[in-house]
């Protein structure tokens, strides 16, 4: 049988070559220079622009970009089409496309005062192009908030131990922010103390699990779980659907409200310290899992052989396994794996929060390019947990039925190689998953506010809070804008259409990546006529082709033909959700193709000598 160490070896090999070689070339290509003042220093305001130490910012960036997608996506794709196609896309696509996307998005933003990719493209193609990209990004953000809050609710329901541990590390992060920025406490001793507290939170979670409602039927929470409300919560909107019960449905609005509140706080209060502390948990999960596979394979110390389970094929064929509904490998494998290889959401993080905290330009190589490679390692670990545990769930159900038990139970098996009991290892890996999701959720809401700020403008008459009789102020307000995002996201979640919602999120996210690469290509073309456009232009063309075809399949075949015409959507809510998702997919395709047309027109004009090239720092 095939050992899972080959999954790890393949990824480590290509990632090492990419970071040591390609990222160094890209750093010279965009002329990173530490003598330049970064936006974090130039506009330091204690609110959004706050210079951060490299390890702190890497922790924020990695925690924010690494959500549930690189876990759910590779597991779903591996189960449907086999582990080899999934591995190849992660191992090859990540260093050549995803890491390039993240690094270039960050580099272009710091040359444009820490502004978003929407602002950047607007500098070269005009206001219409800017608005197209910003609206596309804002709609994608809503999908991100919806799917991440959904997965957190499901994890909290399956592992109530994780709920307690998650709240412990949020409280520790608030205290750490005060310790660092108000009390000016020493950095290293504080790190040791508070990181120890985060890991102690895992033990507290195991001892004192918390749930909102009891489980229906014969199911029950672990012994000793504190249940806060009586009953099963069957009255909660969204309960009793394919993906949710009363307890998990009740957690979703809690997570969304948390995301809205956290997004409104200054970055030093929660975002920076929480992401830094949780990064140690995430590094331990990803790094510990990879090391455990190597140690367990070489020394044979794992609880069971670390080999690919017989239920997982190397290659299941172009149409995948019959139980999944026969999905075409091209283009659906690529948008299913999503963030494990390339993610448009990362361009919003890179140009939204990370660029406003970058201490010096050279830090962009590790944080931008290296951070994405870290997400690729997470995808490889997720694929390894699938290989070890076998697929436990319904591949056609969007992956959530199998991703959670596989990542937790498979991760628990892998960690036995390091002498960690399987039950403790499973809870720890579930906490790792939630840590990724929580940090990404409130960062997404904050980024959505940034998008709307640029769409409606920043006139003097608009208050920061949003509590003003001005529509523009309300739309972009720190406290009012999140209401739009979580409100629409919540309606999408409670429809129960998890499978199509996940696929739509993947397609929109990947298409946003294509548009971010288009933005980078436009920037480079305007910067200097001698700049080569292959590094960003080829990945952009590949991603436009893949995602437009994928979203077309989802809109016209999956939603229109199968769900609406064929009767696949049986309830009124499911029919409304399918119709909404079909329209949204077509709108996203239209926005993207319009922007691509405008962007390519600008590139042809500049390179043809019809328009002067702009300086890279031109605002």
């Amino acid at each position: 049988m095939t050992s899972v160490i080959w999954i790890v070896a393949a990824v480590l090999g290509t990632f090492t070559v990419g970071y040591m070689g390609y990222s160094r070339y890209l750093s010279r290509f965009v002329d990173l220079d530490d003598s330049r003042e970064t936006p974090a220093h130039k506009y330091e305001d204690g609110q959004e622009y706050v210079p951060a130490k490299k390890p702190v910012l890497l922790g924020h960036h990695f925690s924010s970009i690494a959500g549930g997608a690189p876990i759910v996506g590779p597991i779903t794709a591996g189960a449907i089409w086999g582990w080899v196609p999934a591995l190849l896309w992660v191992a090859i696509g990540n260093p050549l496309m995803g890491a390039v996307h993240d690094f270039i998005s960050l580099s272009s933003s710091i040359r444009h005062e820490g502004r978003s990719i929407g602002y950047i493209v607007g500098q070269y193609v005009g206001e219409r192009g800017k608005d197209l990209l910003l609206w596309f990004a804002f709609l994608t953000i809503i999908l991100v908030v919806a799917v991440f809050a959904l997965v957190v609710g499901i994890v909290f329901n399956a592992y109530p131990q994780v709920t307690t541990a998650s709240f412990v590390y949020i409280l520790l992060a608030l205290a750490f922010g005060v310790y660092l920025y108000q009390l000016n406490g020493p950095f290293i001793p504080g790190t040791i103390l508070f990181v120890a507290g985060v890991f102690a939170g895992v033990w507290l979670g195991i001892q004192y699990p918390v749930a909102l409602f009891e489980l229906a039927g014969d199911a029950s929470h672990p012994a000793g779980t504190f249940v806060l409300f009586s009953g099963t919560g069957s009255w909660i909107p969204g309960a009793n659907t394919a993906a949710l019960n009363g307890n998990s449905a009740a957690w979703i609005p809690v997570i969304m409200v948390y995301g809205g509140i956290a997004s409104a706080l200054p970055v030093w209060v929660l975002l920076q310290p929480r992401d830094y502390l949780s990064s140690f948990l995430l590094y331990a999960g990803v790094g510990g899992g990879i090391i455990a596979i190597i140690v367990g394979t070489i020394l044979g110390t794992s609880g069971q052989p670390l080999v690919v389970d017989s239920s997982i094929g190397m290659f299941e064929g172009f149409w995948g396994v019959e139980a999944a509904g026969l999905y075409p490998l091209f283009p659906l494998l690529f948008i299913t794996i999503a963030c494990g290889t390339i993610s448009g959401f990362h361009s919003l993080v890179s140009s939204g929060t990370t660029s406003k905290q970058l201490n010096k330009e050279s830090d962009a190589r590790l944080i931008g390019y290296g951070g994405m490679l870290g997400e690729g390692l997470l995808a490889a670990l997720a694929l390894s947990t699938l290989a070890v545990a076998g697929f436990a769930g319904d591949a056609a159900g969007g992956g959530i039925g199998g991703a959670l038990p596989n990542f937790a139970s498979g991760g628990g098996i892998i960690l036995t190689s390091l002498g960690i009991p399987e039950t403790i290892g499973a809870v720890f890996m579930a906490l790792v998953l939630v840590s990724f999701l929580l940090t990404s959720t409130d960062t997404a809401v904050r980024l959505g506010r940034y998008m709307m700020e640029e769409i409606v403008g920043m006139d003097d008459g608009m208050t920061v809070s949003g509590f003003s009789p001005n529509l523009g102020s309300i739309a972009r307000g720190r406290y009012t804008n999140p209401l739009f995002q979580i409100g629409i996201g919540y309606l999408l979640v409670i429809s129960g259409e998890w499978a199509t919602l996940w696929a739509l999120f993947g397609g929109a996210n990947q298409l946003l990546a294509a548009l971010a690469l288009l933005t980078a290509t436009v920037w480079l073309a305007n910067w200097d006529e001698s700049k080569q456009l292959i590094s960003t232009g080829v990945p952009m063309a590949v991603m436009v082709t893949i995602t437009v075809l994928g979203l077309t399949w989802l809109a016209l075949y999956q939603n229109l033909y199968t769900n609406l015409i064929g009767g696949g959507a049986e309830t009124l809510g499911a029919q409304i959700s399918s119709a909404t998702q079909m329209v949204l997919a077509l709108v996203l395709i239209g926005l993207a193709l319009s922007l691509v047309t405008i962007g390519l027109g600008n590139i042809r004009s500049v390179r043809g000598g019809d328009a002067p090239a702009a300086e890279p720092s031109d605002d």
Side-chain angles (χ1 to χ4, degrees), residues 2 31 177 191 249 266 330 384 411 438 548 599:
T2 304
D31 190 26
T191 296
F330 181 87
S384 298
L438 285 176
V548 168

Side-chain angles (χ1 to χ4, degrees), residues 186-346:
F187 182 70
I188 294 179
T191 296
I192 295 173
L193 176 64
F194 282 91
V195 169
V198 171
F199 282 93
V202 177
W203 178 85
L204 284 174
I206 294 174
Q207 298 300 313
Y208 307 105
V210 173
L212 291 179
F213 292 97
E214 293 285 0
L215 300 180
D218 297 330
S220 62
H221 293 299
T225 299
F226 292 89
V227 181
L228 301 183
F229 302 102
S230 61
T232 60
S234 58
W235 52 272
I236 301 291
N240 306 312
T241 62
L244 301 171
N245 57 30
N247 186 54
S248 55
W251 278 119
I252 291 172
V254 175
I255 299 305
M256 287 187 167
V257 170
Y258 157 78
I261 294 173
S263 72
L265 296 173
V267 294
W268 68 265
V269 175
L270 179 60
L271 185 142
Q272 275 191 1
R274 182 215 52 212
D275 288 358
Y276 175 64
L277 292 177
S278 66
S279 69
F280 286 91
L281 189 65
L282 309 181
Y283 298 149
V286 177
I290 298 295
I291 292 172
I293 290 174
I294 297 173
V295 171
T297 302
I298 296 175
L299 302 181
T301 54
S302 60
Q304 67 182 58
L306 299 181
V307 296
V308 179
D309 188 81
S310 59
S311 64
I312 309 299
M314 290 183 62
F315 176 55
E316 299 289 358
F318 180 81
W319 293 98
V321 295
E322 184 175 356
L326 300 179
Y327 296 126
L329 182 147
F330 181 87
L332 295 189
L333 174 136
F334 306 97
I335 65 175
T336 299
I337 290 180
C339 304
T341 296
I342 182 171
S343 168
F345 175 67
H346 297 186

Side-chain angles (χ1 to χ4, degrees), residues 121-122 124-133 515 518 522 526 590-606:
V121 78
Y124 304 108
V125 305
E127 196 71 17
R128 180 168 176 263
K130 169 190 170 183
D131 289 342
L132 285 173
L133 184 51
L515 298 182
L518 172 68
V522 169
N526 282 266
L591 289 173
L593 293 181
S594 297
L595 187 57
V596 168
T597 301
I598 295 173
L600 293 180
N602 171 268
I603 294 172
R604 283 194 297 267
S605 177
V606 171

